[in-house]
Amino acid sequence: MAGRVSSVLPAMCPPHDAAAALCERVAVVGTEVVPLAAAAGRVLAERVAADRDSPAADVSAMDGYAVRVADWNGLAGGERRAVAFEVETGASPPALPEGAVARVFTGGVVPAGAEAVAKREDVVETPGFAAPRSSVESVTTGQHIRRRGENAAAGDTLLEPGSVLTAPAIAASASAGRAELTVHRRVRVAVLVTGNELDGPAVDEAIGEARVRDSNGPALAALLGGPAWIERVEVAHVGDDPAATRDAIARLVEGCDVLVTTGGVSMGDHDRVPGALLELGAEVVYHHLSMRPGKPNLGAYFPGEIRGAAAVCLPGNPVSVLAGGVVLAGPVLRRAAGWLGEVNRPAVEVVGSAKPIPLTRFLLARLDGAGRAVLLDHRGSGDVAAVGRSAGLVELPAGVDHEAAEHRGKRWPWWTWSVSP
């Protein structure tokens, strides 16, 4: 099918608008309960609340001695106080007797009656007794005590639904006594690589000069194989045949939540993907975007029985595939996964020249020791050698000359090769 197909958004719309419009039509996957030990990297589908105050009691922030402030500060030279007891870690101590102190360790419960903790290095210790060093300042009420509930009160929200369960989030869940968590199931993703010219994964074999080793399938397998919230279903290949393309898409979409295709998506006579999608009843949200690389991108979704399944269809050139994978497929995958967090994309200073064009540009770059993005010399969206040397992409708005005086010192969005935020 030649030509641009009819779409919800007009041709040459900005790439971020296109991704947002497709995200609006994507269904969020269902949920499942998993053990805490298996939850790392998954997307949380419930609120996690503190089951008790944190800390659950007043505890010491230092190794030292629990004291009454006036009693301790009032000791004259040579005076000392008896150590009534040592607070056993993990146990609740008795109340502090008048005129005595208690030895306590970091995290230990501060006994009732104690008003501060004198850190050990500020104390003169003799067997059974303790006294303040003359060279240190007086203690103050509450000094070196972490108060009950100062981190969170019982019932406070620790984690919101839609957050990725990082190591700190797992720590917070464990502290709340959670042995299991409700998470969104993994997003099932299938990849379809199109093109008669492509050879499969037998990369050690010699091939003819008219043939091309497929780098798109392995690249997307790597890009989509990292996050714990993605389940890659299959990487398939189909030639430039209309019926075969339609049948491959139909089969893959039945078993996945998001289909990512490469090639066959532009306006040539052998670009079969748009026609196949229309035959299968897909609604095209965008076709051809104001971006480089990757102008011929297409995004669609399937209503009806497979409502919510999305198709992110990328051009065939390897730089376009990876750029579209992070810029267009990434938001759709996160939406399907139930991820609701903000993407705080870092901004970087850019070193190197790039001619302004009336398209949003995503430029291959590496990072130098100062954290600046150094633009790479490359030969277009087919330059797989350059993409192999890159660390990510710098985004420059349409028409912007980043070297112009008005932009000097400005920082620009940086995209790493990842669909995870």
Side-chain angles (χ1 to χ4, degrees):
M1 178 178 182
R4 194 187 77 83
V5 301
S6 177
S7 58
V8 174
L9 298 181
M12 303 303 288
C13 72
H16 300 302
D17 291 351
L22 187 53
C23 284
E24 291 176 356
R25 294 161 171 81
V26 174
V28 177
V29 300
T31 63
E32 60 185 359
V33 177
V34 299
L36 184 67
R42 302 292 295 274
V43 179
L44 186 65
E46 63 169 323
R47 171 180 171 266
V48 174
D51 65 328
R52 60 178 186 164
D53 293 341
S54 174
D58 289 353
V59 297
S60 178
M62 292 282 180
D63 292 345
Y65 291 84
V67 302
R68 286 184 170 84
V69 171
D71 180 60
W72 184 255
N73 290 340
L75 290 175
E79 288 187 293
R80 55 187 184 168
R81 286 289 177 253
V83 179
F85 54 83
E86 180 177 287
V87 177
E88 183 179 347
T89 302
S92 297
L96 183 66
E98 294 284 346
V101 299
R103 191 175 183 190
V104 65
F105 299 96
T106 303
V109 175
V110 175
E115 301 164 328
V117 171
K119 58 184 180 179
R120 190 174 186 183
E121 52 264 43
D122 293 343
V123 175
V124 177
E125 297 175 297
T126 53
F129 294 90
R133 292 188 182 277
S134 58
S135 59
V136 301
E137 297 181 357
S138 300
V139 297
T140 58
T141 300
Q143 184 172 313
H144 304 314
I145 294 178
R146 296 175 54 228
R147 294 299 186 187
R148 174 175 181 163
E150 72 174 37
N151 299 331
D156 282 355
T157 297
L158 301 181
L159 300 171
E160 296 281 2
S163 56
V164 174
L165 289 163
T166 59
I170 294 294
S173 300
S175 74
R178 301 298 300 272
E180 297 178 327
L181 291 172
T182 302
V183 299
H184 289 283
R185 67 164 175 80
R186 290 183 169 93
V187 178
R188 295 188 292 262
V189 183
V191 175
L192 179 64
V193 179
T194 74
N196 288 336
E197 74 281 11
L198 297 177
D199 273 3
V203 294
D204 291 333
E205 298 180 4
I207 62 173
E209 64 179 13
R211 307 291 295 169
V212 177
R213 291 193 179 99
D214 173 33
S215 64
N216 292 335
L220 287 174
L223 185 68
L224 305 175
W229 47 270
I230 289 180
E231 175 188 351
R232 197 181 72 246
V233 176
E234 184 178 350
V235 178
H237 172 261
V238 67
D240 296 321
D241 177 79
T245 301
R246 181 196 62 230
D247 293 347
I249 290 176
R251 179 179 65 81
L252 292 172
V253 166
E254 287 293 338
C256 73
D257 305 299
V258 178
L259 171 68
V260 181
T261 73
T262 72
V265 77
S266 189
M267 297 173 63
D269 291 341
H270 299 287
D271 289 322
R272 308 300 188 183
V273 171
L277 291 170
L278 293 178
E279 282 190 51
L280 294 170
E283 179 177 343
V284 176
V285 177
Y286 60 83
H287 191 200
H288 287 228
L289 300 178
S290 178
M291 66 180 289
R292 180 180 292 178
K295 184 172 72 172
N297 278 292
L298 182 149
Y301 81 105
F302 294 84
E305 293 182 2
I306 48 178
R307 181 174 181 81
V312 180
C313 305
L314 310 172
N317 285 319
V319 184
S320 298
V321 167
L322 282 165
V326 297
V327 175
L328 298 171
V332 173
L333 292 166
R334 293 193 292 272
R335 166 62 181 171
W339 193 86
L340 298 176
E342 294 292 330
V343 176
N344 297 315
R345 196 163 303 289
V348 294
E349 185 180 344
V350 177
V351 178
S353 299
K355 181 181 178 181
I357 59 174
L359 305 172
T360 301
R361 290 168 294 165
F362 296 92
L363 303 175
L364 294 174
R366 62 177 177 82
L367 296 176
D368 67 10
R372 301 176 302 178
V374 180
L375 300 183
L376 297 179
D377 181 32
H378 67 97
R379 302 293 180 266
S381 59
D383 192 346
V384 70
V387 80
R389 296 192 298 269
S390 69
L393 298 163
V394 174
E395 179 183 344
L396 294 179
V400 165
D401 181 358
H402 72 282
E403 294 183 291
E406 64 267 28
H407 298 305
R408 196 162 295 148
K410 187 171 182 180
R411 295 173 177 266
W412 306 95
W414 172 250
W415 298 72
T416 59
W417 297 123
S418 174
V419 296
S420 287

